């Protein structure tokens, strides 16, 4: 899919972002943990961001990156980027849907183990925005393509939650980044229950191999590990030791999966060799924004 172009309004001028530049840094982020806030608008398939308000800006949203963001590190070590092959690519724009059921649970999917980028990560449905595509249109298309879910008209509402600057590999210690995305998380609030939505899910095995629903309590514990700087402590006694998920079988059917909550609380390891099934750091940030929206 072609990616929508990302532009920043800097000193009153529209400028594109090169692959090795950190979007957060260009918007004024320094070494503090964030999040920061950006004014934004979607104009003819182009996302325009600015640290200050501008004519046509329709939203002011939080934007965040992990403390180990490779592009933030490259700001401090520009000599590293000069040793890598030059690329004319910019930063790609993606949309991810936090789908909330009427009983206040949200849907996460596990990326197929055969994917080149972020295999076995738990994330919400999402993907690249196509040229001239609207934000919600993109999110609903990805929900359909990955999970087979179409939401009835007038049976849901939506809210923009915030942006996450994403890299893969996620740390310079894993190697020089090959992908650079700015992900916009959209909360889609369905009037249907988890049971009603679950009954219609038909995941695409090329992209997804499992899915689950998280409630606020477990989501809050998972989101608390969002900074990725240290391993989480012991689980709260109020939390379950595991959650129920649904996993694809080799024959195309599904089977129940009991997933330890400790798996969901893993943080991004220092090296790729240590990487295991976990919730992505950006997803933890999105869960935190969701809980703030709930007032939890």
């Amino acid at each position: 899919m072609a990616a929508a172009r990302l532009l920043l309004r800097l000193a009153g001028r529209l400028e594109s972002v090169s692959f090795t530049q950190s979007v957060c840094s260009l918007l004024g982020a320094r070494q503090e943990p964030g999040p920061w806030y950006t004014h934004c608008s979607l104009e003819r398939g182009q996302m325009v961001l600015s640290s200050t308000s501008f004519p046509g800006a329709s939203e002011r949203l939080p934007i965040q990156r992990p403390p180990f963001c490779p592009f933030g590190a490259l700001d401090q070590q520009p000599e590293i980027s000069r040793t890598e092959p030059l690329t004319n690519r910019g930063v790609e724009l993606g949309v991810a849907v936090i789908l909330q059921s009427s009983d206040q649970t949200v849907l996460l999917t596990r990326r197929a183990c055969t994917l080149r980028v972020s295999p076995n990560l738990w994330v919400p449905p999402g993907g690249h925005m196509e040229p001239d595509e609207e934000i919600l249109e993109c999110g609903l298309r990805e929900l359909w393509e990955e999970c087979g879910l179409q939401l009835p008209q007038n049976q849901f509402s939506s809210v923009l939650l915030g942006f996450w600057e994403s890299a893969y590999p996620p740390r310079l210690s894993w190697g020089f980044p090959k992908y650079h995305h700015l992900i916009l998380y959209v909360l889609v609030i369905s009037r249907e229950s988890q049971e009603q939505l679950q009954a219609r899910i038909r995941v695409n095995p090329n992209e997804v191999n499992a899915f689950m629903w998280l409630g606020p309590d477990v989501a809050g514990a998972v989101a608390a590990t969002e900074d990725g700087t240290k391993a989480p402590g012991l689980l709260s006694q109020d939390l379950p030791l595991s959650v129920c998920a649904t996993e694809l079988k080799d024959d195309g059917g599904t089977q129940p999966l009991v997933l330890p909550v400790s798996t969901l609380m893993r943080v991004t390891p220092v090296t790729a060799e240590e990487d295991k099934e976990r919730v992505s750091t950006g997803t933890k940030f999105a869960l935190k924004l969701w809980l703030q929206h709930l007032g939890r």
Side-chain angles (χ1 to χ4, degrees), residues 26 45 49 74 82 93 146 182 199 262 267 276 284 290 293:
L26 290 171
L49 304 181
L74 289 174
R82 288 196 289 268
L93 182 63
E146 293 186 11
L182 191 68
S262 58
V267 297
K276 299 177 181 178
K284 294 176 182 180
W290 171 59
H293 185 270

Side-chain angles (χ1 to χ4, degrees), residues 64-66 162-166 181-183 185 226 281-282 285:
Q64 178 70 295
R65 67 185 179 192
F163 292 98
W164 179 260
E165 186 166 15
S166 174
H181 292 83
L182 191 68
I183 301 171
Y185 289 101
E226 177 263 322
T281 314
F285 171 67

Side-chain angles (χ1 to χ4, degrees), residues 63 75 91 102 105 117 189 242 256:
I63 184 171
D75 287 343
V91 179
S102 63
T105 59
V117 180
I189 305 169
S242 61

Side-chain angles (χ1 to χ4, degrees), residues 202-257:
R202 300 291 184 272
V203 297
N204 178 350
N206 295 321
E207 299 191 51
V208 172
N209 61 19
F211 63 93
M212 66 177 169
W213 297 87
L214 285 187
D217 290 344
V218 175
V222 174
T225 66
E226 177 263 322
D227 68 357
T229 58
K230 59 183 179 181
L234 296 175
L235 293 179
S236 166
Q237 293 182 349
D238 296 330
L239 287 177
L241 294 178
S242 61
V243 293
C244 296
T246 302
E247 186 175 41
L248 288 188
K249 297 192 295 185
D250 292 339
D251 62 6
T254 61
Q255 62 188 7
L257 170 67

Side-chain angles (χ1 to χ4, degrees), residues 21-280:
Q21 290 179 296
S22 167
V23 176
C24 288
S25 292
L26 290 171
L27 290 171
R30 296 295 180 262
Q31 296 304 311
E32 63 270 19
W36 306 275
Y37 284 84
T38 180
H39 299 263
C40 59
S41 71
L42 185 66
E43 301 176 354
R44 297 182 299 278
Q46 295 179 326
M47 181 65 74
V48 179
L49 304 181
S50 174
S51 58
T52 58
S53 183
F54 60 92
S58 57
E59 299 282 349
R60 180 177 179 269
L61 297 173
I63 184 171
Q64 178 70 295
R65 67 185 179 192
F68 47 80
C69 175
F71 302 106
L74 289 174
D75 287 343
Q76 309 300 317
Q77 308 172 64
E79 68 279 359
I80 296 178
S81 63
R82 288 196 289 268
T83 66
E84 295 293 326
L86 294 177
T87 175
N88 293 323
R89 287 185 298 161
V91 179
E92 297 179 350
L93 182 63
V95 174
V97 170
I98 301 293
L99 176 62
Q100 175 186 316
S101 67
S102 63
D103 28 7
Q104 295 191 343
T105 59
V106 292
L107 176 67
L108 294 185
T109 61
R110 189 175 66 191
R111 289 173 57 82
C113 59
T114 53
L115 293 174
R116 291 181 300 169
V117 180
S118 303
N120 286 324
L121 277 191
W122 285 93
V123 297
H128 292 144
M129 181 181 285
E130 296 181 348
D132 299 321
E133 194 171 34
E134 298 292 337
I135 294 169
L136 182 58
E137 178 186 7
C138 173
L140 295 179
R141 174 180 55 76
E142 291 289 346
L143 186 62
W144 163 249
E145 291 179 359
E146 293 186 11
C147 299
L149 265 180
Q150 281 188 313
L151 303 182
Q153 290 187 353
N154 303 318
Q155 292 296 307
F156 66 91
S157 59
S158 64
V159 178
L160 303 184
L161 290 177
F163 292 98
W164 179 260
E165 186 166 15
S166 174
Y168 189 81
R171 292 180 181 265
L172 277 181
S173 56
W174 290 34
F176 193 82
K178 297 180 176 64
Y179 298 90
H180 190 178
H181 292 83
L182 191 68
I183 301 171
L184 175 55
Y185 289 101
V186 182
L187 172 61
V188 173
I189 305 169
S190 174
R191 296 182 185 175
E192 295 180 276
S193 68
Q194 173 185 320
E195 184 179 2
Q196 290 173 305
L197 294 166
Q198 170 100 1
R200 300 206 310 278
I201 291 179
R202 300 291 184 272
V203 297
N204 178 350
N206 295 321
E207 299 191 51
V208 172
N209 61 19
F211 63 93
M212 66 177 169
W213 297 87
L214 285 187
D217 290 344
V218 175
V222 174
T225 66
E226 177 263 322
D227 68 357
T229 58
K230 59 183 179 181
L234 296 175
L235 293 179
S236 166
Q237 293 182 349
D238 296 330
L239 287 177
L241 294 178
S242 61
V243 293
C244 296
T246 302
E247 186 175 41
L248 288 188
K249 297 192 295 185
D250 292 339
D251 62 6
T254 61
Q255 62 188 7
L257 170 67
V258 177
L259 192 67
V261 171
S262 58
T263 297
L264 306 180
M265 298 176 69
R266 289 173 179 156
V267 297
T268 306
V270 174
T271 65
E273 289 75 17
E274 301 173 290
D275 198 24
K276 299 177 181 178
E277 178 183 4
R278 56 189 169 85
V279 177
S280 79

